[in-house]
Amino acid sequence: MPREFSTLLVERRPDRVQVQLNRPDVRNAIDQTMVDELHLLCGELERGPRILILCGTAGVFASGADIAQLRERRREDALTGINSELFERIARLPLPVIAAIDGWALGGGAELAYAADFRIASETARLGNPETSLGIIPAAGALWRLAELVGEPVAKEIILAGRILTAQEALAVHLVTEVHPADRLLAAAHALADRITAQDPLATQLAKEVFHVPRARHPRADNEAQAVLFESEEKFARMTAFLERKKR
């Protein structure tokens, strides 16, 4: 049976899992326990692929890494990549990940959102990476993912000059794709999940996998994935249904 967690609230459905970061007393700061529990969740989703919806608690997505723990970390801790390994695992999950961002998503919390396939936001969302103000760098993905998402000039403003994006600013640079009132954010996340689940799961899984392969592996990776799908029963069923609808 799936275990319960101390830092996460988990709602499981047949086609998706909603995970609520739940350390409201410290604005959902990501501590070692949360990292460990998210790794357990990843293992569950790797064994049985489902869409993952990540959200926060009490108007905060995640305020960042737990500073009390971060202050005590040393060279050896940095080299183990505590958060970067987790966020890379989340990014590699077989089916899409949706980050529903309400309120603050800063530092490690923003980097967790950057690892998702989709980011949608509430009107009160704020995203940024203030790590350099604390004497460190955003080493869990922002230094490369953020430039891929919003371009180098905006990424440097956020990382090197401490810019915090509002929801509308994040929408304008395509860091998020939807903005909703806070009380409708989760419904919007599930509506997006519904659109994803209307697709063929295997095709969605392979599309995500091939999307992220290095450029040098295209088009061979595309052709190999398509070869698998060309033999799938679901492909024949869906195309037959399409052709029959077209006849009507």
Side-chain angles (χ1 to χ4, degrees):
M1 292 290 293
R3 58 161 287 176
E4 294 305 314
F5 302 101
S6 64
T7 69
L8 309 173
L9 298 176
V10 180
E11 177 188 326
R12 295 174 177 85
R13 302 186 189 182
D15 59 2
R16 72 198 66 175
V17 176
Q18 177 185 304
V19 175
Q20 188 174 10
L21 309 179
N22 188 42
R23 300 186 72 217
D25 53 324
V26 288
R27 297 190 173 189
N28 296 334
I30 301 170
D31 69 349
Q32 186 63 56
T33 300
M34 186 179 286
V35 167
D36 294 341
E37 293 183 348
L38 284 168
H39 271 298
L40 290 172
L41 225 298
C42 285
E44 180 180 328
L45 293 172
E46 289 160 354
R47 293 187 296 272
R50 281 175 282 178
I51 294 167
L52 173 61
I53 298 174
L54 291 167
C55 60
T57 311
V60 177
F61 181 73
S63 60
D66 189 302
I67 301 301
Q69 289 188 3
L70 199 58
R71 183 184 60 182
E72 303 308 314
R73 290 178 182 167
R74 305 301 293 266
R75 179 180 184 276
E76 294 76 14
D77 299 304
L79 294 175
T80 63
I82 294 170
N83 283 0
S84 60
E85 289 294 320
L86 170 63
F87 298 167
E88 181 61 19
R89 191 175 183 185
I90 289 171
R92 291 196 311 264
L93 285 173
L95 286 175
V97 178
I98 301 168
I101 305 162
D102 185 21
W104 295 104
L106 298 176
E111 290 178 301
L112 173 58
Y114 303 157
D117 298 287
F118 300 91
R119 283 160 299 281
I120 66 174
S122 74
E123 294 168 335
T124 61
R126 300 290 185 273
L127 296 93
N129 289 94
E131 283 90 341
T132 54
S133 72
L134 296 170
I136 58 173
I137 62 173
L143 289 173
W144 53 278
R145 278 201 181 99
L146 191 54
E148 292 176 354
L149 293 168
V150 303
E152 183 179 314
V154 176
K156 284 183 174 178
E157 270 199 82
I158 293 168
I159 292 167
L160 304 181
R163 180 179 175 185
I164 305 295
L165 298 183
T166 66
Q168 290 299 328
E169 289 171 335
L171 182 65
V173 297
H174 308 295
L175 184 55
V176 303
T177 54
E178 303 174 23
V179 175
H180 300 274
D183 61 355
R184 299 181 194 169
L185 182 62
L186 270 181
H190 283 284
L192 175 55
D194 290 340
R195 298 200 299 275
I196 296 168
T197 58
Q199 317 307 311
D200 171 30
L202 179 59
T204 302
Q205 185 171 332
L206 289 177
K208 175 176 176 176
E209 180 181 322
V210 175
F211 190 96
H212 290 288
V213 302
R215 177 64 183 86
R217 289 185 56 196
H218 295 285
R220 180 167 183 168
D222 309 57
N223 296 339
E224 290 173 348
Q226 194 77 296
V228 173
L229 293 167
F230 272 13
E231 298 296 326
S232 74
E233 292 184 7
E234 187 69 12
K235 170 247 187 179
F236 288 103
R238 285 174 176 258
M239 290 191 176
T240 299
F242 174 84
L243 292 171
E244 288 176 351
R245 288 194 303 270
K246 193 174 179 182
K247 289 177 183 177
R248 294 173 192 160

